[in-house]
Amino acid sequence: MNKEHLHPEGRPYTKEEFVEKIKTDESFAKRFGELGPVYGKQWRNWRGLDRSEMRMSTYRIDQIANLISELKTNPDSRRLMVNAWNVGELDQMVLPPCHYGFQVYTRELSMEERYNWYIQKYNKNLSRSGNQFDMDDILNSNNIPTRAISLMWNQRSVDIFLGLPFNIASYGLLLEIIAKEVNMIPEELIGNLGDVHLYSNHKEQSVEQIGREPFELPTLEIHSSKIDDIAHHEIADFEIKNYQSHPSIKAPLSN
């Protein structure tokens, strides 16, 4: 057995000690902190079973690519879903997915909504003297979206102080990215949350958080990549403007 796997006493780590080592030792976590086939793997590399041949074989399913394709070709579908709860691989995951799936819903925008979006984007008014077909041409020529898109994620277990803020931010960002990819306006972000809990060692931090006055929300700009594709975005493509925050509140990670 590799010495790096061993406790300083020379014995193997217990599961609890190994988890604690992952939490507290950054170099150890980088080497041994693999979570298994969770979230991203299931979203982009779910393994399907092909029974069409004499022998069965597996193939890769990119759920995100399929979702984008369906949004572009069949935006009224009630099957715009991505799932991370792969029962065949749960035993390979350090922790089964807490947020285990999400779905999106789109709706058509009215002419007034599209017009208001044009004003917001370009900070200028259009002449309303023309007919509806003229307005349509102007809005379409400026690539103004014709639909809004909302996202709902499902979560079986929620660490409300440490986990939930990251879940909200990450799915909010995902909604923005998908909306840009399919040229829709991001609308509602909905969390369907089960087993919502506040750990006892997070109580003081939560009281401090509740007592703070929120700042005005920042804005997000997603700059076009060289390849305008969800799979090719880089950190530099994302710019958060007018972000303000209070000092961070530290809290221990609980299991």
Side-chain angles (χ1 to χ4, degrees):
M1 179 178 289
N2 192 311
K3 290 183 179 180
E4 292 178 89
H5 288 89
L6 298 177
H7 190 276
E9 297 176 359
R11 59 174 173 78
Y13 285 104
T14 65
K15 180 179 179 180
E16 292 73 21
E17 289 171 339
F18 192 86
V19 170
E20 186 63 25
K21 186 77 170 171
I22 292 290
K23 294 179 185 178
T24 57
D25 188 325
E26 185 175 351
S27 60
F28 189 87
K30 285 183 178 180
R31 183 169 176 80
F32 302 110
E34 172 61 47
L35 295 176
V38 292
Y39 306 111
K41 191 274 181 188
Q42 303 303 337
W43 287 8
R44 311 229 60 171
N45 192 22
W46 186 292
R47 307 305 291 178
L49 192 61
D50 185 0
R51 296 184 176 87
S52 61
E53 304 173 356
M54 292 297 292
R55 59 181 180 82
M56 292 190 295
S57 59
T58 59
Y59 61 96
R60 171 176 174 264
I61 301 172
D62 187 335
Q63 295 187 82
I64 297 295
N66 290 348
L67 175 68
I68 296 297
S69 175
E70 195 74 1
L71 280 167
K72 291 179 177 180
T73 58
N74 187 21
D76 287 318
S77 172
R78 297 188 297 273
R79 302 172 184 177
L80 303 171
M81 301 176 64
V82 171
N83 194 359
W85 194 263
N86 186 339
V87 295
E89 295 186 348
L90 289 180
D91 60 345
Q92 302 172 41
M93 305 175 191
V94 173
L95 179 70
C98 292
H99 41 103
Y100 57 88
F102 70 91
Q103 67 184 95
V104 297
Y105 163 83
T106 79
R107 68 173 183 86
E108 289 189 14
L109 295 170
S110 67
M111 179 66 68
E112 192 69 22
E113 288 174 315
R114 295 187 71 204
Y115 176 74
N116 290 335
W117 183 256
Y118 175 93
I119 295 173
Q120 179 181 334
K121 182 176 181 179
Y122 293 105
N123 197 28
K124 64 179 181 180
N125 291 323
L126 286 171
S127 171
R128 304 300 293 269
S129 58
N131 60 41
Q132 179 174 333
F133 298 105
D134 293 334
M135 184 67 69
D136 261 338
D137 287 342
I138 294 172
L139 295 175
N140 291 339
S141 65
N142 283 279
N143 202 31
I144 300 303
T146 61
R147 284 183 173 264
I149 180 171
S150 297
L151 182 150
M152 179 183 74
W153 85 91
N154 296 299
Q155 191 159 344
R156 65 172 180 84
S157 180
V158 188
D159 172 355
I160 196 169
F161 184 75
L162 285 181
L164 184 57
F166 283 94
N167 301 140
I168 294 170
S170 60
Y171 277 106
L173 177 59
L174 180 63
L175 174 58
E176 292 272 1
I177 293 172
I178 293 174
K180 184 177 187 301
E181 174 77 10
V182 298
N183 192 33
M184 296 182 187
I185 296 175
E187 194 164 45
E188 291 186 315
L189 178 67
I190 305 156
N192 184 24
L193 311 177
D195 195 357
V196 179
H197 46 269
L198 178 68
Y199 289 108
S200 58
N201 55 357
H202 295 170
K203 288 181 180 179
E204 292 183 8
Q205 294 91 332
S206 298
V207 170
E208 181 179 350
Q209 177 71 46
I210 291 171
R212 291 179 167 182
E213 288 294 327
F215 292 111
E216 184 177 345
L217 290 175
T219 57
L220 172 69
E221 287 191 10
I222 304 177
H223 303 294
S224 295
S225 301
K226 293 179 181 178
I227 303 175
D228 192 14
D229 186 303
I230 195 170
H232 294 88
H233 279 302
E234 300 176 353
I235 292 176
D237 295 332
F238 302 92
E239 182 180 2
I240 299 177
K241 292 188 173 182
N242 302 317
Y243 176 76
Q244 303 176 76
S245 70
H246 293 282
S248 62
I249 303 173
K250 301 294 183 183
L253 181 64
S254 298
N255 290 321

